[in-house]
Amino acid sequence: MTVTAVRETEPALGRAPAPAAQGSPLTRGRRRLFWPFVAPALVLYTVFYILPTLATAWISLNKWAGAGPMEFAGLDNYRRLLLDPIFHDSFANTLTILFVVGGATFALSFLLTMILRDMAGRKAVRSIIFFPNIVSGIVLSILWGFLFQADGVVNQALRAFGVDDPPNWLGADNLFSIIMIGLVWVQTGFYTTILMAAVDRIPKDLYEVCDLEGANAWQRFRHVTLPLVWDVVGVCAVLWSISAIKIFEFIYAFAGAAGQLPPTKVWNTALYAYAEAFAGGVPKYGSAAATGMVMLALVGVLVVLLRRMFRRDPVQF
């Protein structure tokens, strides 16, 4: 009798759920609209991202000059990258740009955000510092090169202050440092604008309470600004990680001569891939594709780590 009673109270397996369990009419309507809205984006994503990525992965396993049959090489292209000192330098430069330039960019962006938060005319200043992002990277790199020429603006200013022998900024020893400073100049306005938009959402009474409590600028930033814009900082970190690894035109136009590649000491992985595919002798599309897959793997790892590091419960204010 007990077993029979239990079976009568259990839902029958395989039986269709009751209409009430299928959700409200609004929920059912959303389910019907899911695929019509998602399918076009899914098709575009598959055609323009998934399939090219799979094709690149396949090419990276072959020796191919861009024409004619491919010769399957397995992991030889990746093994060649591990043994190539130029790739080692390029990969190190990519990490330097990622962390050093990124750290300097975000430090300056936070500093400008704090300075401009209560400053009159901040919208005009925001537009000015955002200006480098609406100009082509090629133009910016040419302008940056003019500034640091032997008789450029920087050296003329130094001579005006009594420096008779200014450094050779475009020499081999200083070239990569000047490139990093230029990248900080180009990127700071973009991330300052995003962070300022997030800071503008913070209620002013929170800062007024800090002033009444006698908090200094660092304490206001540490305990009010940073926690309330933490999710935006996480998005900016992901955006920078993706863009830093594929920086190309600024380095190419700044350090390269007419029709020639820059010195290998300033290459990053994007320039290395370009050189393998298009510069000198028989194109090495397999090696270039392998470099691209390494860049993709690096981006994937960084995005996962950053998403975990910036994961927090949202703060309501």
Side-chain angles (χ1 to χ4, degrees):
M1 291 298 293
T2 304
V3 174
T4 304
V6 171
R7 286 178 177 174
E8 289 176 350
T9 55
E10 290 179 345
L13 297 176
R15 184 181 299 172
Q22 296 179 354
S24 64
L26 179 59
T27 303
R28 292 196 296 273
R30 287 177 175 175
R31 289 174 180 170
R32 285 195 297 270
L33 292 175
F34 179 80
W35 283 112
F37 276 93
V38 172
L42 187 61
V43 170
L44 292 175
Y45 189 76
T46 302
V47 171
F48 292 105
Y49 182 77
I50 300 296
L51 294 180
T53 301
L54 294 176
T56 303
W58 171 247
I59 293 173
S60 71
L61 301 176
N62 292 269
K63 290 183 179 178
W64 190 41
M70 294 184 181
E71 179 183 350
F72 185 74
L75 298 177
D76 285 351
N77 289 321
Y78 294 94
R79 193 176 298 112
R80 180 175 173 274
L81 295 182
L82 292 176
L83 300 176
D84 189 355
I86 296 178
F87 178 78
H88 297 168
D89 294 340
S90 302
F91 192 77
N93 288 340
T94 300
L95 295 181
T96 303
I97 292 173
L98 180 65
F99 293 109
V100 177
V101 175
T105 299
F106 277 82
L108 279 177
S109 298
F110 279 123
L111 179 62
L112 288 173
T113 300
M114 294 299 99
I115 293 175
L116 298 176
R117 185 175 60 84
D118 297 322
M119 196 178 89
R122 58 180 178 175
K123 292 184 178 179
V125 176
R126 186 188 304 182
S127 301
I128 293 173
I129 62 176
F130 189 77
F131 180 75
N133 292 277
I134 62 176
V135 180
S136 169
I138 300 293
V139 177
L140 293 175
S141 62
I142 294 173
L143 172 62
W144 197 245
F146 279 126
L147 293 177
F148 288 94
Q149 285 181 346
D151 55 349
V153 176
V154 174
N155 282 354
Q156 290 182 6
L158 291 175
R159 291 190 182 96
F161 284 100
V163 179
D164 296 329
D165 188 16
N168 180 16
W169 303 109
L170 302 184
D173 295 335
N174 300 319
L175 192 56
F176 190 66
S177 299
I178 298 301
I179 289 174
M180 290 197 295
I181 296 173
L183 292 174
V184 172
W185 165 59
V186 172
Q187 300 293 333
T188 297
F190 177 74
Y191 293 103
T192 301
T193 303
I194 296 178
L195 293 175
M196 285 188 67
V199 171
D200 287 343
R201 299 182 306 163
I202 300 176
K204 293 185 178 179
D205 53 356
L206 295 179
Y207 291 106
E208 293 173 356
V209 172
C210 292
D211 294 336
L212 293 175
E213 295 293 335
N216 56 34
W218 167 249
Q219 290 171 329
R220 289 197 298 271
F221 173 77
R222 172 69 179 82
H223 298 290
V224 177
T225 303
L226 189 58
L228 297 183
V229 301
W230 187 252
D231 54 340
V232 179
V233 175
V235 173
C236 290
V238 172
L239 291 176
W240 166 249
S241 299
I242 296 172
S243 63
I245 293 174
K246 62 181 183 180
I247 287 174
F248 175 79
E249 70 275 8
F250 189 90
I251 302 175
Y252 181 83
F254 177 77
Q260 297 181 359
L261 286 172
T264 56
K265 287 186 176 181
V266 302
W267 284 11
N268 62 350
T269 49
L271 267 168
Y272 182 89
Y274 176 83
E276 289 291 292
F278 302 108
V282 179
K284 302 171 185 174
Y285 282 92
S287 178
T291 307
M293 295 308 297
V294 172
M295 295 167 61
L296 180 62
L298 180 60
V299 169
V301 171
L302 288 172
V303 170
V304 171
L305 292 178
L306 288 171
R307 297 295 295 175
R308 287 183 174 275
M309 187 173 70
F310 284 92
R311 181 184 301 170
R312 282 188 181 180
D313 294 331
V315 179
Q316 301 294 332
F317 58 93

